[in-house]
Amino acid sequence: MGMGKYILQRLAFTVLVVIGISILVFVITHMVGNPVDIMLPLTATEEQRQLLTQQLGLDKPMIEQLGTFLKDAATLDFGMSWWQRRPCMEVIMDDLPLTALLIFFASCISVIVAIPLGIAAAYHKGSFLDRVLTIISLGGICLPPFWIGLMLMLVFSVKLGWLPTSGIGTWKHMILPALAISFRPMGHLSQIVRFEMMQQLNGLYVITARAKGVTETAVLFKHALKNIMTASITMIGSDFTKQLGGLSASVEVVFGFPGFGHLISETISNMDFPLLQAEVFFVALIVCLINLLVDILYAAFDPRIRY
Amino acid sequence: MANLATSKKKVTLWDRFRYNKAALVSLIILIILFLMLIFAPQVTSYSASQSDLYNRLSAPSFEQTAKGGPPHILGTDQLGRDIYSRLIYGGRVSLTVGFVVGTIGALIGITLGMVAGYFGGWTDMIIMRLVDVWASSPTLLIALTFVMVLGPGMRNLIIALLVNSWTLFCRMARSQVLVIRSSAMVESGHAIGASTNRILFKHIMPNIISPLVTTYVLELAHFINAEANLSFLGFGVQPPQTSWGLMIGEGRKYLTQAPWIVLFPGLLIGLTVLCLNLVGNWIRDEFDPLAVKQ
C-alpha cells in the first residue's frame, strides 16, 4: 500500500471518528439533559419555556435537529454560543491558538529536559544520577499538575516575585503554566527514553559500532537515538493530544490563563451545549490529525516501516 | 504443621521483595493509609466539617488550641476546620471513587477483552475497532459532557470517569488471552469437552490475572489523579463532602496566607499515586509468568 493511499484511508477514519463523536455528544446532551430547565430560573412561566424551546429549535424531532446540526457542522457553522452570545467558531478561534502555543511550549520544555536526561540515566544505569532522575520523573508523573502550578506560583511569584501570578500579555506569563504542564510529559518521556535506550545499548549493532572504534557520542546520538525516536514521538504526541483535550484546564484555571482549557471548564459551568459541541468537534479532529502525523513521522525515522 | 506452612509463606513473600525495597515500603505506606481511612473516626480528633472561627487559617502546630482542644497538627483552613481530619475523610472519598471506577472499568474491560481474544474473527474486530475509535476520541470532553448534563457530585463523577476506564483493561486482557488461547492447556481442555465458560474462567483467567492486577493498580493511581483533577475544577465531589482535589480547589484562594491548605492534599495525592505505581510495577516484575521467562 502506498503512502498516499494510507493517508487517505486514515483521513476517512478521521472523518468517521469526528462524525461519530459529534453524534454521541449530541445524543447525550439532548437525551439526558433539558437545556431549557437549566437556562431559565425556576420561576419562569410555561410560555417563557415554550418560547425559548422554540428559539433554540428544540421543539423539532431530535433526528431533524441532528440533521441540521451535522449539515451546519460540515460548513464549520456551530451556531451561537448560548453563554457568550457570539458564534462558537469565533469563541474557539480566540482561545485555541493560545493553548496550542502553551502546550507546544510545554512539550518543548519536556523534550529538551527529558531526552538528554533519559539517555544519561540509561548510559549510567543504576548510578546515583539514574536513581535521582527516576525519582524526579516519578514525581512529575504522580503529582497533580495543578498542584505543581500552585507551588510554582507560591515560590516564583509570591515569595520571589520574579514572574506574574496570572493573566497573559508577555512571554513571562507563559513560563509558569508551561512548566506546570510540562512535568507529567517530562516524566513519561524520560522513563520511555531510559527504557528504550537501555534496550538499544544492549543491541548487537552497538557492540559492532564500538568494536569498529565509533566514538561513544556517535553511538549514542547517531545510532541509538534514531532508534528510540518512534517510541518517543508516540509519547510526545499522546501527551500533547491529552493536554489539548481538556487536561490543561486545571493549570489554566490556576494561572487565569484564558485559553482553550479554561474555555472548556467555563463551557461546562455555563451549560453551553453548542459551544461544547464545537469544542468536541475540533478536539476530535485535531487529535486524529496529530495521530496521523505521528504515524507519518514513524516512517521518516524507521525505514523498516512502510505504509 | 499450620505454623510451618505460614512461616514458609512469609519467607517467600519476603523473597519477592528482596530486589525491590521501594515496593515494600510503598506497600506498607498504602496499608497504613488504608487503615487510617477505614478507622477515620478513631484516628482523628475533629470531624471534617467542624469549624472553629477563632482558629481560622492557623498554621500547623503541636500545641493545644486556645480552648484546650487537641492540636491542629497540619493547620486549619478558611473556616477553621482541621486539615488533618479533612485529609483523612477526604481520602475516603478520593479512594472510594478510584476503587469503584477501577473495579467497574476492569469488569467491563476484561470481559470484553477476553471475549474478543477468545472468539476472534468478527467479534474481535468489532470490539477492537471500538477500542481504537475510543482511544482516538476526546474522552475527557465526553466525561465532562456527562458531568454537564447530570450535574456535579460523587455519583455522577464516577459515571463520567467510567467513560475512559475500560479500554486499557480490554487491550490487556485480549493480548494475554491471545497468548494463552493457542497453548496446549486450552487445546486439551477443548479435547476433554470442557465448556467455554470453564475454559475462560477456570483455565485462562488464572494465567492472565497478574498482568491484569498490575493494570488495575496502575489504573487506580490514574483514577485518583483524574478524580482530583475534576474535583479541583468543581465538577466532582461537592461540599460539604470533601476530597483531596476539592481541598486544593477550595484552598487555592488562600495560597499566600495559608499554603498548608493546598500543600498537604497535593503531597498526599502524589504519595498515594507513587506508592500504587511502585507496587503495580513490582507485581508485574514478580508475578507475571511471561515476564519471568525473559
Short mmCIF file of all heavy atoms in Angstrom, two decimals, chain B residues 173-196:
data_model
loop_
_atom_site.label_atom_id
_atom_site.label_comp_id
_atom_site.label_asym_id
_atom_site.label_seq_id
_atom_site.Cartn_x
_atom_site.Cartn_y
_atom_site.Cartn_z
N ALA B 173 -6.36 -7.62 28.48
CA ALA B 173 -6.98 -8.94 28.58
C ALA B 173 -6.92 -9.65 27.24
O ALA B 173 -6.56 -10.83 27.15
CB ALA B 173 -8.42 -8.82 29.05
N ARG B 174 -7.21 -8.92 26.16
CA ARG B 174 -7.21 -9.55 24.83
C ARG B 174 -5.83 -10.08 24.49
O ARG B 174 -5.67 -11.23 24.06
CB ARG B 174 -7.66 -8.53 23.78
CG ARG B 174 -7.56 -9.07 22.38
CD ARG B 174 -8.04 -8.04 21.37
NE ARG B 174 -7.85 -8.49 20.02
CZ ARG B 174 -6.74 -8.25 19.32
NH1 ARG B 174 -5.73 -7.61 19.87
NH2 ARG B 174 -6.64 -8.68 18.08
N SER B 175 -4.79 -9.22 24.68
CA SER B 175 -3.46 -9.65 24.27
C SER B 175 -3.01 -10.85 25.09
O SER B 175 -2.35 -11.76 24.57
CB SER B 175 -2.47 -8.49 24.40
OG SER B 175 -2.33 -8.14 25.75
N GLN B 176 -3.38 -10.90 26.37
CA GLN B 176 -2.99 -12.04 27.20
C GLN B 176 -3.71 -13.31 26.77
O GLN B 176 -3.13 -14.38 26.70
CB GLN B 176 -3.28 -11.76 28.67
CG GLN B 176 -2.48 -10.61 29.25
CD GLN B 176 -1.01 -10.93 29.35
OE1 GLN B 176 -0.64 -12.04 29.68
NE2 GLN B 176 -0.16 -9.96 29.06
N VAL B 177 -5.02 -13.16 26.49
CA VAL B 177 -5.80 -14.33 26.08
C VAL B 177 -5.25 -14.89 24.79
O VAL B 177 -5.15 -16.11 24.60
CB VAL B 177 -7.30 -13.96 25.93
CG1 VAL B 177 -8.06 -15.09 25.27
CG2 VAL B 177 -7.89 -13.65 27.29
N LEU B 178 -4.84 -14.02 23.85
CA LEU B 178 -4.30 -14.49 22.57
C LEU B 178 -3.10 -15.40 22.79
O LEU B 178 -2.92 -16.38 22.06
CB LEU B 178 -3.90 -13.30 21.70
CG LEU B 178 -5.04 -12.56 21.02
CD1 LEU B 178 -4.50 -11.43 20.15
CD2 LEU B 178 -5.87 -13.52 20.18
N VAL B 179 -2.27 -15.06 23.80
CA VAL B 179 -1.09 -15.89 24.07
C VAL B 179 -1.51 -17.25 24.61
O VAL B 179 -1.01 -18.30 24.17
CB VAL B 179 -0.16 -15.18 25.08
CG1 VAL B 179 1.01 -16.07 25.46
CG2 VAL B 179 0.34 -13.86 24.51
N ILE B 180 -2.44 -17.24 25.56
CA ILE B 180 -2.82 -18.48 26.25
C ILE B 180 -3.70 -19.38 25.36
O ILE B 180 -3.64 -20.60 25.44
CB ILE B 180 -3.59 -18.15 27.56
CG1 ILE B 180 -2.75 -17.25 28.45
CG2 ILE B 180 -3.99 -19.42 28.30
CD1 ILE B 180 -1.58 -17.91 29.11
N ARG B 181 -4.51 -18.74 24.49
CA ARG B 181 -5.52 -19.49 23.74
C ARG B 181 -4.90 -20.63 22.92
O ARG B 181 -5.44 -21.71 22.79
CB ARG B 181 -6.29 -18.55 22.81
CG ARG B 181 -7.54 -19.18 22.24
CD ARG B 181 -8.25 -18.24 21.32
NE ARG B 181 -7.40 -17.84 20.19
CZ ARG B 181 -7.85 -17.17 19.15
NH1 ARG B 181 -9.10 -16.81 19.09
NH2 ARG B 181 -7.04 -16.84 18.16
N SER B 182 -3.70 -20.32 22.35
CA SER B 182 -3.09 -21.32 21.46
C SER B 182 -2.28 -22.36 22.24
O SER B 182 -1.60 -23.17 21.65
CB SER B 182 -2.21 -20.61 20.45
OG SER B 182 -1.36 -19.72 21.12
N SER B 183 -2.33 -22.31 23.59
CA SER B 183 -1.49 -23.24 24.36
C SER B 183 -2.11 -24.63 24.42
O SER B 183 -3.29 -24.82 24.18
CB SER B 183 -1.32 -22.70 25.79
OG SER B 183 -2.55 -22.79 26.46
N ALA B 184 -1.25 -25.60 24.75
CA ALA B 184 -1.69 -27.00 24.83
C ALA B 184 -2.76 -27.18 25.90
O ALA B 184 -3.67 -28.00 25.76
CB ALA B 184 -0.49 -27.88 25.15
N MET B 185 -2.67 -26.35 26.95
CA MET B 185 -3.62 -26.45 28.06
C MET B 185 -5.06 -26.22 27.59
O MET B 185 -5.96 -27.00 27.90
CB MET B 185 -3.24 -25.42 29.12
CG MET B 185 -4.18 -25.30 30.27
SD MET B 185 -3.72 -23.88 31.26
CE MET B 185 -4.15 -22.55 30.18
N VAL B 186 -5.23 -25.17 26.81
CA VAL B 186 -6.58 -24.86 26.32
C VAL B 186 -7.03 -25.91 25.31
O VAL B 186 -8.18 -26.35 25.30
CB VAL B 186 -6.60 -23.44 25.71
CG1 VAL B 186 -7.93 -23.18 25.01
CG2 VAL B 186 -6.36 -22.40 26.78
N GLU B 187 -6.08 -26.35 24.49
CA GLU B 187 -6.39 -27.37 23.49
C GLU B 187 -6.89 -28.66 24.16
O GLU B 187 -7.89 -29.23 23.77
CB GLU B 187 -5.13 -27.67 22.68
CG GLU B 187 -5.40 -28.07 21.26
CD GLU B 187 -4.10 -28.24 20.50
OE1 GLU B 187 -3.26 -27.30 20.55
OE2 GLU B 187 -3.92 -29.30 19.89
N SER B 188 -6.20 -29.08 25.22
CA SER B 188 -6.63 -30.31 25.90
C SER B 188 -7.96 -30.08 26.61
O SER B 188 -8.77 -31.01 26.72
CB SER B 188 -5.56 -30.81 26.87
OG SER B 188 -4.81 -29.76 27.38
N GLY B 189 -8.18 -28.85 27.07
CA GLY B 189 -9.48 -28.52 27.66
C GLY B 189 -10.59 -28.77 26.67
O GLY B 189 -11.61 -29.40 26.97
N HIS B 190 -10.37 -28.28 25.44
CA HIS B 190 -11.36 -28.50 24.38
C HIS B 190 -11.54 -30.00 24.14
O HIS B 190 -12.66 -30.48 23.97
CB HIS B 190 -10.89 -27.84 23.08
CG HIS B 190 -11.17 -26.37 23.05
ND1 HIS B 190 -12.42 -25.86 23.16
CD2 HIS B 190 -10.33 -25.31 22.91
CE1 HIS B 190 -12.36 -24.53 23.10
NE2 HIS B 190 -11.10 -24.19 22.96
N ALA B 191 -10.41 -30.71 24.11
CA ALA B 191 -10.43 -32.14 23.76
C ALA B 191 -11.26 -32.94 24.75
O ALA B 191 -11.99 -33.86 24.37
CB ALA B 191 -9.00 -32.67 23.71
N ILE B 192 -11.18 -32.59 26.05
CA ILE B 192 -11.96 -33.36 27.02
C ILE B 192 -13.37 -32.78 27.18
O ILE B 192 -14.12 -33.17 28.06
CB ILE B 192 -11.26 -33.46 28.40
CG1 ILE B 192 -11.02 -32.07 28.98
CG2 ILE B 192 -9.97 -34.25 28.32
CD1 ILE B 192 -10.64 -32.08 30.44
N GLY B 193 -13.71 -31.83 26.32
CA GLY B 193 -15.09 -31.34 26.27
C GLY B 193 -15.45 -30.33 27.34
O GLY B 193 -16.61 -30.24 27.75
N ALA B 194 -14.47 -29.54 27.81
CA ALA B 194 -14.79 -28.50 28.80
C ALA B 194 -15.61 -27.40 28.13
O ALA B 194 -15.42 -27.10 26.96
CB ALA B 194 -13.50 -27.93 29.37
N SER B 195 -16.51 -26.80 28.90
CA SER B 195 -17.35 -25.75 28.34
C SER B 195 -16.54 -24.46 28.15
O SER B 195 -15.50 -24.28 28.76
CB SER B 195 -18.54 -25.48 29.27
OG SER B 195 -18.07 -24.87 30.45
N THR B 196 -17.05 -23.58 27.29
CA THR B 196 -16.37 -22.31 27.03
C THR B 196 -16.16 -21.53 28.32
O THR B 196 -15.08 -21.00 28.57
CB THR B 196 -17.22 -21.46 26.07
OG1 THR B 196 -17.52 -22.26 24.93
CG2 THR B 196 -16.48 -20.22 25.62
#
